[in-house]
Amino acid sequence: MGRMIDRLNTFKQYRPLLEQLVSKDIKLKYRRSFLGYLWSILNPLMIMVIMVIVFSNMFRFDIINYPVYLIIGQTLFGFVSESTNQAMWSITGNAALLKKTYVPKYIFTLSKITSSFVNTVFSLGAMLIVFVICKVQPNINMLFIPVILLQMYIFCTGLGMILAQGTVFFRDIQYIYSAVITAWMYLTPIFYPIQQLPLTLQKTIKHFNPLYSYITQFRTIVLDGCFPDPRLILYGFVVAFVVLIVGVFIFFKNQDKFILYI
């Protein structure tokens, strides 16, 4: 308990550094960009339009408000993909600084997750535009959306820590995770309805793919105007905290060895 309190106090001391790192990441992403932050809205919109044209014509899914269905899955998966890929190199990418001075190593991983989260919040503007065009009716349940994003933030923080510490020792993780994230995308009902899959695969995705929980919660609120199934919410939080606990445990257990490998 005392160690946890010490770490919380340390986090408070280095919180300004975390804020500076997040600010730097965001500014670097849009540096020398003519449209700047508008790309957070335009980029997902352009991708969504292309995917709507391709998938709605090739597969003709019977989904009401398909553009809304698609951009929700696209945006949430994009956050997981971007944040974890950025977090994976958060330690090795700051090797020079870590060798010169003491900084809590998790600050760098947390900054990557947080900056990706901020970018995702910006991209919600694109989602809002699609909602307006497709005449999505606002409802009181939309106030629950920040809770869904919180579940995802916790989940990505844990997964990011696992990847960050693993990459320090095994650089090949980048290639393995690249294949995993591609398979993960296709095994998540982002651009297709889950009913298109065999029943066995549907059950597997529902039980072992946390992204299904987060995306389904979001779609239930927006497309159905209903509050998400409490079991999905419980599942989302349980998985998020389990991954976070595992990630933090592994990270802190191995962080003293980082200096020997970076």
Side-chain angles (χ1 to χ4, degrees):
M1 191 66 181
R3 182 180 297 179
M4 184 178 296
I5 293 173
D6 289 341
R7 284 174 178 168
L8 287 174
N9 290 331
T10 301
F11 174 75
K12 290 179 181 178
Q13 293 175 7
Y14 285 91
R15 184 176 174 179
L17 174 61
L18 174 62
E19 293 172 354
Q20 289 180 10
L21 289 172
V22 171
S23 177
K24 184 193 75 171
D25 286 342
I26 295 171
K27 288 177 181 177
L28 284 176
K29 181 175 181 178
Y30 301 105
R31 186 177 60 180
R32 297 178 182 175
S33 172
F34 179 73
L35 294 176
Y37 297 113
L38 283 177
W39 277 117
S40 292
I41 296 176
L42 293 177
N43 189 54
L45 276 178
M46 290 188 294
I47 295 174
M48 185 216 67
V49 169
I50 293 170
M51 293 180 75
V52 165
I53 293 171
V54 171
F55 289 107
S56 63
N57 285 290
M58 287 178 62
F59 300 101
R60 299 188 181 280
F61 296 133
D62 186 20
I63 298 176
I64 299 174
N65 264 344
Y66 184 63
V68 176
Y69 181 93
L70 179 60
I71 199 167
I72 290 173
Q74 172 192 325
T75 302
L76 299 191
F77 181 82
F79 168 55
V80 174
S81 178
E82 179 187 343
S83 62
T84 52
N85 273 292
Q86 291 288 330
M88 184 162 50
W89 296 103
S90 58
I91 302 302
T92 53
N94 290 281
L97 180 58
L98 288 171
K99 289 177 180 179
K100 292 178 180 177
T101 184
Y102 172 76
V103 179
K105 300 171 183 64
Y106 66 85
I107 289 291
F108 296 104
T109 304
L110 192 58
S111 72
K112 296 299 182 183
I113 302 293
T114 305
S115 60
S116 295
F117 182 79
V118 173
N119 289 329
T120 300
V121 172
F122 289 155
S123 68
L124 292 181
M127 194 181 291
L128 183 59
I129 292 173
V130 176
F131 290 175
V132 172
I133 293 174
C134 294
K135 299 179 180 179
V136 171
Q137 294 297 319
N139 63 82
I140 191 66
N141 296 310
M142 288 183 175
L143 295 175
F144 188 75
I145 288 176
V147 179
I148 302 172
L149 297 178
L150 174 62
Q151 294 174 51
M152 297 190 67
Y153 180 83
I154 296 170
F155 173 77
C156 290
T157 299
L159 182 56
M161 286 192 168
I162 293 172
L163 292 170
Q165 64 84 33
T167 304
V168 172
F169 305 110
F170 307 102
R171 300 295 197 273
D172 290 348
I173 284 180
Q174 63 176 311
Y175 306 112
I176 298 171
Y177 190 64
S178 177
V180 168
I181 202 74
T182 302
W184 198 357
M185 179 183 68
Y186 287 110
L187 289 173
T188 303
I190 296 172
F191 44 79
Y192 62 85
I194 195 170
Q195 291 78 14
Q196 293 284 114
L197 302 176
L199 190 59
T200 304
L201 187 54
Q202 287 185 41
K203 291 181 179 179
T204 301
I205 291 174
K206 289 178 180 179
H207 287 99
F208 298 103
N209 186 349
L211 255 180
Y212 170 80
S213 167
Y214 306 135
I215 292 174
T216 302
Q217 289 179 57
F218 208 117
R219 285 172 175 164
T220 299
I221 291 173
V222 175
L223 293 172
D224 301 333
C226 302
F227 192 76
D229 187 337
R231 291 174 296 181
L232 276 180
I233 299 171
L234 178 62
Y235 173 84
F237 270 116
V238 169
V239 170
F241 278 112
V242 168
V243 173
L244 178 65
I245 291 169
V246 172
V248 169
F249 175 78
I250 295 175
F251 191 96
F252 280 104
K253 182 180 180 181
N254 294 319
Q255 65 175 349
D256 292 337
K257 303 175 186 175
F258 291 173
I259 196 68
L260 302 174
Y261 292 87
I262 57 178

